[in-house]
Amino acid sequence: ITTERKTDASQLLKMMKKLKPFNINQVYADGAYDQTKCREAICAAGAVPLIPPRKNARLKKGKNGELVDSYRNDDILYIWELGAAAWKQDLGYHRRNLSETAMMRLKHFFSERLSSISFKMQKQEVLMRIQILNELNAVKLKVAANQ
């Protein structure tokens, strides 16, 4: 979670440093993360950034006018040639919806509002909510397995 003064994308750099030991292969993110610093942080952690370029995206070129070798340039060229729908399908971008669905369920089950005032306690409150939802999911899976 972030405060109202920070964007999610601004926190990605810290998060990727913490996640580096987990050997993550791919990071799915929405267009808000289409920033050089986000892509660099993902690559520095050894993962491939799967972020759709903005609709008005331009190819990045080097000092001599040559195309820079980057995932973003590859994505832009792919989308120009085959379209955004094909890019999403071929790269499995739909997997990002799993995390969106999980967040939607969390907010729906508990509401979007937090009771705690301090940011430190808000983080704890969110972690408790996640733990409760995970426990409920585990019970649901056990019940389904026994039927």
Side-chain angles (χ1 to χ4, degrees), residues 124-143:
Q124 290 302 312
E125 186 177 341
V126 169
L127 288 173
M128 286 189 321
R129 289 178 177 192
I130 292 169
Q131 182 65 35
I132 291 167
L133 196 59
N134 285 340
E135 293 290 332
L136 290 171
N137 285 335
V139 169
K140 184 179 174 183
L141 288 173
K142 286 180 186 176
V143 170

PDB file of all heavy atoms in Angstrom, residues 124-143:
ATOM      1  N   GLN A 124      -0.316  -2.995   8.751  1.00  0.00           N
ATOM      2  CA  GLN A 124      -0.631  -4.175   9.542  1.00  0.00           C
ATOM      3  C   GLN A 124      -2.076  -4.624   9.299  1.00  0.00           C
ATOM      4  O   GLN A 124      -2.359  -5.818   9.212  1.00  0.00           O
ATOM      5  CB  GLN A 124      -0.406  -3.899  11.031  1.00  0.00           C
ATOM      6  CG  GLN A 124       1.050  -3.746  11.401  1.00  0.00           C
ATOM      7  CD  GLN A 124       1.855  -4.982  11.042  1.00  0.00           C
ATOM      8  OE1 GLN A 124       1.474  -6.105  11.332  1.00  0.00           O
ATOM      9  NE2 GLN A 124       2.984  -4.776  10.386  1.00  0.00           N
ATOM     10  N   GLU A 125      -2.965  -3.656   9.202  1.00  0.00           N
ATOM     11  CA  GLU A 125      -4.369  -3.974   8.960  1.00  0.00           C
ATOM     12  C   GLU A 125      -4.553  -4.682   7.613  1.00  0.00           C
ATOM     13  O   GLU A 125      -5.280  -5.679   7.513  1.00  0.00           O
ATOM     14  CB  GLU A 125      -5.198  -2.687   8.992  1.00  0.00           C
ATOM     15  CG  GLU A 125      -6.685  -2.900   8.893  1.00  0.00           C
ATOM     16  CD  GLU A 125      -7.472  -1.598   8.999  1.00  0.00           C
ATOM     17  OE1 GLU A 125      -6.937  -0.582   9.490  1.00  0.00           O
ATOM     18  OE2 GLU A 125      -8.642  -1.616   8.576  1.00  0.00           O
ATOM     19  N   VAL A 126      -3.865  -4.202   6.598  1.00  0.00           N
ATOM     20  CA  VAL A 126      -3.953  -4.834   5.274  1.00  0.00           C
ATOM     21  C   VAL A 126      -3.380  -6.248   5.329  1.00  0.00           C
ATOM     22  O   VAL A 126      -3.965  -7.182   4.776  1.00  0.00           O
ATOM     23  CB  VAL A 126      -3.249  -3.980   4.200  1.00  0.00           C
ATOM     24  CG1 VAL A 126      -3.107  -4.739   2.890  1.00  0.00           C
ATOM     25  CG2 VAL A 126      -3.997  -2.673   3.984  1.00  0.00           C
ATOM     26  N   LEU A 127      -2.255  -6.414   6.011  1.00  0.00           N
ATOM     27  CA  LEU A 127      -1.663  -7.755   6.137  1.00  0.00           C
ATOM     28  C   LEU A 127      -2.606  -8.714   6.866  1.00  0.00           C
ATOM     29  O   LEU A 127      -2.721  -9.881   6.486  1.00  0.00           O
ATOM     30  CB  LEU A 127      -0.319  -7.674   6.862  1.00  0.00           C
ATOM     31  CG  LEU A 127       0.829  -7.057   6.060  1.00  0.00           C
ATOM     32  CD1 LEU A 127       2.056  -6.863   6.945  1.00  0.00           C
ATOM     33  CD2 LEU A 127       1.156  -7.898   4.847  1.00  0.00           C
ATOM     34  N   MET A 128      -3.289  -8.226   7.888  1.00  0.00           N
ATOM     35  CA  MET A 128      -4.256  -9.081   8.604  1.00  0.00           C
ATOM     36  C   MET A 128      -5.411  -9.453   7.684  1.00  0.00           C
ATOM     37  O   MET A 128      -5.859 -10.597   7.682  1.00  0.00           O
ATOM     38  CB  MET A 128      -4.786  -8.375   9.852  1.00  0.00           C
ATOM     39  CG  MET A 128      -3.779  -8.320  10.972  1.00  0.00           C
ATOM     40  SD  MET A 128      -4.412  -7.726  12.579  1.00  0.00           S
ATOM     41  CE  MET A 128      -5.512  -6.435  12.161  1.00  0.00           C
ATOM     42  N   ARG A 129      -5.879  -8.516   6.895  1.00  0.00           N
ATOM     43  CA  ARG A 129      -6.973  -8.803   5.966  1.00  0.00           C
ATOM     44  C   ARG A 129      -6.558  -9.866   4.949  1.00  0.00           C
ATOM     45  O   ARG A 129      -7.323 -10.775   4.637  1.00  0.00           O
ATOM     46  CB  ARG A 129      -7.398  -7.523   5.232  1.00  0.00           C
ATOM     47  CG  ARG A 129      -8.122  -6.541   6.119  1.00  0.00           C
ATOM     48  CD  ARG A 129      -8.475  -5.293   5.352  1.00  0.00           C
ATOM     49  NE  ARG A 129      -9.239  -4.368   6.170  1.00  0.00           N
ATOM     50  CZ  ARG A 129      -9.863  -3.309   5.700  1.00  0.00           C
ATOM     51  NH1 ARG A 129      -9.828  -3.035   4.407  1.00  0.00           N
ATOM     52  NH2 ARG A 129     -10.533  -2.507   6.508  1.00  0.00           N
ATOM     53  N   ILE A 130      -5.348  -9.734   4.459  1.00  0.00           N
ATOM     54  CA  ILE A 130      -4.843 -10.721   3.496  1.00  0.00           C
ATOM     55  C   ILE A 130      -4.751 -12.095   4.143  1.00  0.00           C
ATOM     56  O   ILE A 130      -5.134 -13.102   3.549  1.00  0.00           O
ATOM     57  CB  ILE A 130      -3.474 -10.270   2.924  1.00  0.00           C
ATOM     58  CG1 ILE A 130      -3.660  -9.037   2.044  1.00  0.00           C
ATOM     59  CG2 ILE A 130      -2.802 -11.405   2.160  1.00  0.00           C
ATOM     60  CD1 ILE A 130      -2.365  -8.355   1.655  1.00  0.00           C
ATOM     61  N   GLN A 131      -4.252 -12.138   5.377  1.00  0.00           N
ATOM     62  CA  GLN A 131      -4.137 -13.403   6.098  1.00  0.00           C
ATOM     63  C   GLN A 131      -5.511 -14.048   6.286  1.00  0.00           C
ATOM     64  O   GLN A 131      -5.686 -15.241   6.067  1.00  0.00           O
ATOM     65  CB  GLN A 131      -3.453 -13.198   7.457  1.00  0.00           C
ATOM     66  CG  GLN A 131      -3.257 -14.472   8.243  1.00  0.00           C
ATOM     67  CD  GLN A 131      -2.309 -15.441   7.563  1.00  0.00           C
ATOM     68  OE1 GLN A 131      -1.350 -15.033   6.925  1.00  0.00           O
ATOM     69  NE2 GLN A 131      -2.573 -16.729   7.699  1.00  0.00           N
ATOM     70  N   ILE A 132      -6.494 -13.253   6.671  1.00  0.00           N
ATOM     71  CA  ILE A 132      -7.849 -13.775   6.863  1.00  0.00           C
ATOM     72  C   ILE A 132      -8.408 -14.315   5.551  1.00  0.00           C
ATOM     73  O   ILE A 132      -8.971 -15.412   5.506  1.00  0.00           O
ATOM     74  CB  ILE A 132      -8.776 -12.679   7.446  1.00  0.00           C
ATOM     75  CG1 ILE A 132      -8.367 -12.358   8.883  1.00  0.00           C
ATOM     76  CG2 ILE A 132     -10.241 -13.106   7.375  1.00  0.00           C
ATOM     77  CD1 ILE A 132      -8.999 -11.096   9.444  1.00  0.00           C
ATOM     78  N   LEU A 133      -8.235 -13.566   4.479  1.00  0.00           N
ATOM     79  CA  LEU A 133      -8.737 -14.013   3.173  1.00  0.00           C
ATOM     80  C   LEU A 133      -8.041 -15.289   2.732  1.00  0.00           C
ATOM     81  O   LEU A 133      -8.682 -16.201   2.206  1.00  0.00           O
ATOM     82  CB  LEU A 133      -8.563 -12.900   2.129  1.00  0.00           C
ATOM     83  CG  LEU A 133      -9.355 -13.050   0.847  1.00  0.00           C
ATOM     84  CD1 LEU A 133     -10.849 -13.122   1.117  1.00  0.00           C
ATOM     85  CD2 LEU A 133      -9.063 -11.884  -0.088  1.00  0.00           C
ATOM     86  N   ASN A 134      -6.731 -15.383   2.979  1.00  0.00           N
ATOM     87  CA  ASN A 134      -5.998 -16.606   2.642  1.00  0.00           C
ATOM     88  C   ASN A 134      -6.514 -17.799   3.450  1.00  0.00           C
ATOM     89  O   ASN A 134      -6.637 -18.905   2.922  1.00  0.00           O
ATOM     90  CB  ASN A 134      -4.497 -16.421   2.868  1.00  0.00           C
ATOM     91  CG  ASN A 134      -3.852 -15.590   1.787  1.00  0.00           C
ATOM     92  OD1 ASN A 134      -4.391 -15.433   0.690  1.00  0.00           O
ATOM     93  ND2 ASN A 134      -2.688 -15.034   2.092  1.00  0.00           N
ATOM     94  N   GLU A 135      -6.801 -17.584   4.727  1.00  0.00           N
ATOM     95  CA  GLU A 135      -7.338 -18.657   5.565  1.00  0.00           C
ATOM     96  C   GLU A 135      -8.711 -19.099   5.049  1.00  0.00           C
ATOM     97  O   GLU A 135      -9.006 -20.289   4.991  1.00  0.00           O
ATOM     98  CB  GLU A 135      -7.448 -18.211   7.025  1.00  0.00           C
ATOM     99  CG  GLU A 135      -6.114 -17.960   7.695  1.00  0.00           C
ATOM    100  CD  GLU A 135      -5.313 -19.220   7.942  1.00  0.00           C
ATOM    101  OE1 GLU A 135      -5.925 -20.290   8.105  1.00  0.00           O
ATOM    102  OE2 GLU A 135      -4.077 -19.128   7.969  1.00  0.00           O
ATOM    103  N   LEU A 136      -9.555 -18.148   4.695  1.00  0.00           N
ATOM    104  CA  LEU A 136     -10.872 -18.483   4.156  1.00  0.00           C
ATOM    105  C   LEU A 136     -10.752 -19.258   2.850  1.00  0.00           C
ATOM    106  O   LEU A 136     -11.490 -20.215   2.613  1.00  0.00           O
ATOM    107  CB  LEU A 136     -11.707 -17.221   3.948  1.00  0.00           C
ATOM    108  CG  LEU A 136     -12.174 -16.513   5.221  1.00  0.00           C
ATOM    109  CD1 LEU A 136     -12.803 -15.166   4.884  1.00  0.00           C
ATOM    110  CD2 LEU A 136     -13.134 -17.388   5.994  1.00  0.00           C
ATOM    111  N   ASN A 137      -9.807 -18.867   2.010  1.00  0.00           N
ATOM    112  CA  ASN A 137      -9.589 -19.589   0.750  1.00  0.00           C
ATOM    113  C   ASN A 137      -9.118 -21.015   1.007  1.00  0.00           C
ATOM    114  O   ASN A 137      -9.522 -21.943   0.319  1.00  0.00           O
ATOM    115  CB  ASN A 137      -8.578 -18.855  -0.126  1.00  0.00           C
ATOM    116  CG  ASN A 137      -9.159 -17.628  -0.782  1.00  0.00           C
ATOM    117  OD1 ASN A 137     -10.363 -17.530  -0.985  1.00  0.00           O
ATOM    118  ND2 ASN A 137      -8.305 -16.670  -1.108  1.00  0.00           N
ATOM    119  N   ALA A 138      -8.266 -21.194   2.015  1.00  0.00           N
ATOM    120  CA  ALA A 138      -7.781 -22.533   2.354  1.00  0.00           C
ATOM    121  C   ALA A 138      -8.928 -23.416   2.828  1.00  0.00           C
ATOM    122  O   ALA A 138      -9.023 -24.585   2.449  1.00  0.00           O
ATOM    123  CB  ALA A 138      -6.694 -22.445   3.418  1.00  0.00           C
ATOM    124  N   VAL A 139      -9.814 -22.880   3.648  1.00  0.00           N
ATOM    125  CA  VAL A 139     -10.974 -23.635   4.120  1.00  0.00           C
ATOM    126  C   VAL A 139     -11.875 -23.989   2.947  1.00  0.00           C
ATOM    127  O   VAL A 139     -12.344 -25.123   2.834  1.00  0.00           O
ATOM    128  CB  VAL A 139     -11.755 -22.824   5.183  1.00  0.00           C
ATOM    129  CG1 VAL A 139     -13.095 -23.467   5.483  1.00  0.00           C
ATOM    130  CG2 VAL A 139     -10.923 -22.681   6.443  1.00  0.00           C
ATOM    131  N   LYS A 140     -12.079 -23.034   2.063  1.00  0.00           N
ATOM    132  CA  LYS A 140     -12.925 -23.266   0.879  1.00  0.00           C
ATOM    133  C   LYS A 140     -12.345 -24.387   0.016  1.00  0.00           C
ATOM    134  O   LYS A 140     -13.068 -25.244  -0.476  1.00  0.00           O
ATOM    135  CB  LYS A 140     -13.049 -21.976   0.079  1.00  0.00           C
ATOM    136  CG  LYS A 140     -13.962 -22.061  -1.114  1.00  0.00           C
ATOM    137  CD  LYS A 140     -14.026 -20.707  -1.805  1.00  0.00           C
ATOM    138  CE  LYS A 140     -14.821 -20.801  -3.084  1.00  0.00           C
ATOM    139  NZ  LYS A 140     -14.839 -19.533  -3.821  1.00  0.00           N
ATOM    140  N   LEU A 141     -11.013 -24.398  -0.161  1.00  0.00           N
ATOM    141  CA  LEU A 141     -10.376 -25.448  -0.963  1.00  0.00           C
ATOM    142  C   LEU A 141     -10.520 -26.812  -0.302  1.00  0.00           C
ATOM    143  O   LEU A 141     -10.744 -27.810  -0.982  1.00  0.00           O
ATOM    144  CB  LEU A 141      -8.899 -25.115  -1.174  1.00  0.00           C
ATOM    145  CG  LEU A 141      -8.602 -23.969  -2.127  1.00  0.00           C
ATOM    146  CD1 LEU A 141      -7.102 -23.637  -2.123  1.00  0.00           C
ATOM    147  CD2 LEU A 141      -9.059 -24.309  -3.547  1.00  0.00           C
ATOM    148  N   LYS A 142     -10.423 -26.876   1.035  1.00  0.00           N
ATOM    149  CA  LYS A 142     -10.574 -28.149   1.749  1.00  0.00           C
ATOM    150  C   LYS A 142     -11.999 -28.675   1.602  1.00  0.00           C
ATOM    151  O   LYS A 142     -12.209 -29.868   1.371  1.00  0.00           O
ATOM    152  CB  LYS A 142     -10.230 -27.982   3.230  1.00  0.00           C
ATOM    153  CG  LYS A 142      -8.766 -27.850   3.500  1.00  0.00           C
ATOM    154  CD  LYS A 142      -8.506 -27.679   4.991  1.00  0.00           C
ATOM    155  CE  LYS A 142      -7.042 -27.407   5.250  1.00  0.00           C
ATOM    156  NZ  LYS A 142      -6.788 -27.136   6.677  1.00  0.00           N
ATOM    157  N   VAL A 143     -12.958 -27.776   1.713  1.00  0.00           N
ATOM    158  CA  VAL A 143     -14.362 -28.186   1.572  1.00  0.00           C
ATOM    159  C   VAL A 143     -14.623 -28.692   0.163  1.00  0.00           C
ATOM    160  O   VAL A 143     -15.255 -29.722  -0.038  1.00  0.00           O
ATOM    161  CB  VAL A 143     -15.316 -27.007   1.928  1.00  0.00           C
ATOM    162  CG1 VAL A 143     -16.747 -27.321   1.550  1.00  0.00           C
ATOM    163  CG2 VAL A 143     -15.205 -26.680   3.407  1.00  0.00           C
TER     164      VAL A 143
END
